[in-house]
Amino acid sequence: MGELAVLLVHRRYLHRSRHVKGWVGWGPQVPFDAVLVIRQADGSLQRRPIKDVPVRPSHIAFLPDSRLLMACGRARKEELGAWGPNVVVFSLDSGEQEATFCIGDDIPALVTDRGGSIWTAYGDEGIYGGHPESAAGLAGWSPEGQALWAPGGRLPDVPLEGCTAATEGDQVWLIWYSGSQRGGTFLTRITPSTGEVTSWPSPVGAPDGFAVRDRRAVLTKRVHNQRATEVVRAELDGDTWSATERRRVRVPGRVVLRCGQGRDGLLWLRAGDTWLRIDA
């Protein structure tokens, strides 16, 4: 609890997009070498070298048995209708690549649970792009890339875009919004051991960060093109998540998409080149 993992890439591997401003416009050219820096809960650091990464990662996440998952947010459709791999799994002990597979297309939110399952929420291009699991809006995968879970009509509306994700104990939270007139943003809690799915309307529209502990949660929503974010604290009162505090906070750098990760009541939020820890 309290760990943070950051993937560091040398500048010689980086390429800057002409169309995207700021630090988010920089990305590695594959294959590239990197160093995974892990900040432990006690403040100590571990460094693990990783070589020949074959994907441009939008997400990284731990898997059991000292393994690291890297996922590209987009998947490529190949000949005969197959989808090319957009996930690679490395052993942190040996630094060797162990597996590659595809977990859908257009992934704005991804998280892994304690058992190693992978949980994803998709964007509109993935939902309407022809990939069978992406079309459902939310999905669960085995550590080997086999589709394990789909919402199957248990959501209050049809997802249009994933926002962020979190875990709390053995439960997984996927945050998403619908494009229908009666829709909005929803907090969906999944209990993998039982298959139970519960959704609530979110007190914040399209948040970029979420963490939950028992009946309390913290949500963040960036202020576009400014070094500020809105921090909202909420509580579950009966069957409703209600905001109990809202405040605008100045942060060291701009917050952009895919910058929030919630684990057991702690939200790590990237603001420029700084990671902020916010407790629920």
Side-chain angles (χ1 to χ4, degrees):
M1 183 174 175
E3 288 186 345
L4 173 68
V6 178
L7 192 69
L8 301 183
V9 181
H10 195 281
R11 182 174 293 180
R12 68 175 177 270
Y13 294 111
L14 298 180
H15 171 75
R16 185 172 185 174
S17 170
R18 292 180 298 173
H19 309 292
V20 182
K21 297 180 180 180
W23 62 265
V24 74
W26 289 89
Q29 294 180 299
V30 297
F32 64 91
D33 297 342
V35 176
L36 184 74
V37 179
I38 306 169
R39 178 194 181 277
Q40 306 286 349
D42 61 5
S44 62
L45 298 178
Q46 294 183 5
R47 291 175 172 84
R48 305 288 181 90
I50 301 174
K51 294 187 176 296
D52 297 324
V53 179
V55 300
R56 294 185 61 177
S58 302
H59 309 277
I60 64 173
F62 288 124
L63 293 173
D65 302 322
S66 191
R67 293 177 296 159
L68 178 73
L69 175 149
M70 299 187 197
C72 177
R74 300 308 305 263
R76 183 182 69 258
K77 198 167 187 178
E78 299 181 336
E79 295 181 5
L80 304 177
W83 291 84
N86 61 344
V87 168
V88 59
V89 176
F90 283 92
S91 166
L92 292 178
D93 293 328
S94 67
E96 297 295 321
Q97 179 177 315
E98 292 191 344
T100 61
F101 46 85
C102 180
I103 56 170
D105 184 34
D106 190 12
I107 309 170
L110 179 151
V111 69
T112 55
D113 65 21
R114 291 180 175 179
S117 295
I118 307 159
W119 300 87
T120 46
Y122 298 97
D124 59 349
E125 293 185 36
I127 292 170
Y128 296 104
H131 191 282
E133 277 73 35
S134 301
L138 312 178
W141 305 81
S142 74
E144 296 73 38
Q146 300 296 315
L148 293 179
W149 179 91
R154 290 173 288 180
L155 300 178
D157 208 338
V158 179
L160 177 65
E161 184 78 27
C163 300
T164 186
T167 58
E168 182 200 18
D170 295 325
Q171 295 179 322
V172 177
W173 293 75
L174 297 175
I175 318 306
W176 54 276
Y177 66 80
S178 167
S180 72
Q181 291 183 350
R182 61 184 176 85
T185 301
F186 295 92
L187 315 177
T188 291
R189 184 185 67 194
I190 304 159
T191 306
S193 60
T194 64
E196 180 184 2
V197 179
T198 308
S199 297
W200 296 267
S202 171
V204 178
D208 46 51
F210 174 81
V212 60
R213 180 181 288 121
D214 297 324
R215 301 176 72 86
R216 294 181 290 113
V218 61
L219 304 95
T220 57
K221 185 170 183 176
R222 67 193 184 281
V223 180
H224 187 59
N225 282 335
Q226 296 186 33
R227 296 187 176 190
T229 189
E230 183 183 23
V231 177
V232 179
R233 298 192 178 277
E235 292 186 2
L236 182 60
D237 183 8
D239 294 327
T240 303
W241 281 99
S242 301
T244 58
E245 180 187 6
R246 295 178 184 265
R247 58 193 180 101
R248 182 167 167 168
V249 177
R250 183 169 176 80
V251 293
R254 289 180 175 84
V255 179
V256 301
L257 294 172
R258 303 173 184 168
C259 279
Q261 186 69 250
R263 294 280 187 181
D264 294 321
L266 298 177
L267 172 62
W268 287 102
L269 186 72
R270 181 174 177 177
D273 59 1
T274 302
W275 284 92
L276 307 175
R277 192 180 110 162
I278 306 172
D279 290 9

